[in-house]
Amino acid sequence: MNKKDESLMLTLADQIGAHKKILVGFSGGLDSTVLLHLLVRLRQQFSGSCGGEQNSVTLRAMHIHHGLNVKADEWVAHCRQICADWQVDFRVENVILDSRKKGIEAAARDARYQAFKHELQQGEVLLTAQHLDDQAETFLLALKRGSGPAGLSSMPSSMSFSGTTLIRPLLNISRAELECYAQVHGLKWIEDDSNQDDRYDRNFLRLNVMPLLNQRWPHFSQAVSRSADLCGEQEQLLDELLEELLNALITSEGAMAISPLATFSEAKRNALLRRWLNRYGVKMPAREQLQRIWSEVALARRDAEPRFRLGLLDIRRYRQQLWLVPQHQPLTGVVIEWDTENELQLPDGLGVLLLSEDKGAERDAVNIRAPRDNEQVTIRFGIQANISIVGRQHSRHSKKLWQEFGVAPWLRERTPLLYYDDKLIAALSVFVTKEGQCLADDRQCSVLWQKF
């Protein structure tokens, strides 16, 4: 083994550490082919030195079929053959891309990582083949977007991912070094012709910008990588310094208290908001978006119900807290007939309803009068009316009742309303109306809302 090979193997072994189960993202291109070849050699080396199945490395490769290239099926066949030759378990996942919101590059990346999440087994780590030049391109793309230190820290060599770890062991290795290794070992790899299309931002940098920068400054990529590492260190330091305060500001339900944030400088407030969003897996907003979240949501007039759309989530204000709320289909006006002999599947993932003749059969069940033989039972959503509820002498408007019972605005139209004919009987899990109370001549029943 020559010195360069030995250095690569040592770097790989150090990155992997004690992990024994490995899933490799295998496109069949130069980078992932070199990574898989190194792992196969490391598996042989490890088995030979340690011996026994207990200490062996389990290696699997996964190819993502995007369906974007006419040669995509040929690439699958190539990858399958390589894995057969190297005795690596091989998986293919076909994905469908939705590029309407993010563009084709981002959609393809998201689809890949979603597929990896579904495939990863218990105790298995994911290895991907991004290298030094990829890191420099990622840094420049973040710079183009106006990203702060979090974005400029680019790709970490190791990070938490779907309950396990994502490792990028080649981040300090240049593409030129990988190509040299592949040629020395006679490796064959796929050349994706779409990589020559400089309409895509990353390709534009790779084809037109990076060669000039590297020609002028031969160690440009290494310098960029160091800058990315330094940005990452700064972010890690801020994470540590702000963690205790962040925990104090976030409620048990994941909301963020507004009043303390108002006492901080804009820089400190933005840093806390970014870490709150990151904790729940939200893509980092731009600085302008953070300013709008604060001015349009947190500082909106007291009687407003503000919202700010961020990707697939809404940021909303309730009880002087900021909340992250999934975007749901509107349900106001929906009417569903219910044969109470059977459970009822609610729309938009709200769960199921069960009616039982046993009072309080479940702890969270709502006890009401049973429907009479001539009454039609329906479930509806959304109400604006005066309502008389059990235990109250006077009626109150629905909005006041929702506020009194602490039901957030976005949950009000998602709370199932039980009707007998056109009489409101109960807002499930919230209140029972006087029409729904059980009198002497009525049969009693309970309704259980099993939420997903």
Side-chain angles (χ1 to χ4, degrees), residues 159-188:
M159 60 180 286
S160 298
F161 179 79
S162 191
T164 179
T165 305
L166 165 59
I167 301 172
R168 301 181 177 99
L170 304 181
L171 277 185
N172 291 320
I173 312 299
S174 69
R175 178 180 172 84
E177 290 176 283
L178 297 179
E179 194 164 332
C180 180
Y181 176 94
Q183 291 171 348
V184 167
H185 292 277
L187 304 183
K188 296 180 180 179

Side-chain angles (χ1 to χ4, degrees), residues 23 25 60 62-66 91-98 102 105-121 126 128 161-162 164 166 281 312:
L23 176 67
R60 299 195 305 137
M62 184 173 183
H63 179 87
I64 309 300
H65 189 313
H66 298 99
R91 290 273 295 117
V92 180
E93 183 69 24
N94 294 285
V95 297
I96 299 174
L97 304 184
D98 182 0
K102 297 183 176 181
E105 291 177 284
R109 181 181 62 249
D110 289 351
R112 282 196 299 275
Y113 283 104
Q114 198 61 38
F116 291 143
K117 284 182 180 180
H118 291 152
E119 180 61 26
L120 279 163
Q121 298 177 355
L126 173 65
T128 57
F161 179 79
S162 191
T164 179
L166 165 59
L312 298 177

Side-chain angles (χ1 to χ4, degrees), residues 196-232:
Q196 302 304 310
D197 186 350
D198 65 5
R199 291 177 300 172
Y200 300 122
D201 289 345
R202 186 176 289 274
N203 287 351
F204 178 80
L205 284 175
R206 183 175 300 154
L207 297 172
N208 303 314
V209 178
M210 293 300 296
L212 286 174
L213 293 172
N214 286 320
Q215 182 181 353
R216 174 72 177 182
W217 300 291
H219 300 292
F220 179 80
S221 294
Q222 288 90 336
V224 169
S225 181
R226 285 197 298 275
S227 293
D229 288 342
L230 289 171
C231 288

Side-chain angles (χ1 to χ4, degrees), residues 285 288-294 296-297 305-311 313-317 323-325 327:
E288 178 192 3
Q289 290 176 305
L290 283 177
Q291 291 170 341
R292 290 184 60 192
I293 289 168
W294 184 248
E296 296 176 18
V297 182
E305 293 182 2
R307 72 174 72 185
F308 184 87
R309 182 150 292 186
L310 194 63
L313 296 170
D314 286 335
I315 297 181
R316 305 192 62 163
R317 185 188 66 188
W323 293 72
L324 284 168
V325 182
Q327 293 165 16

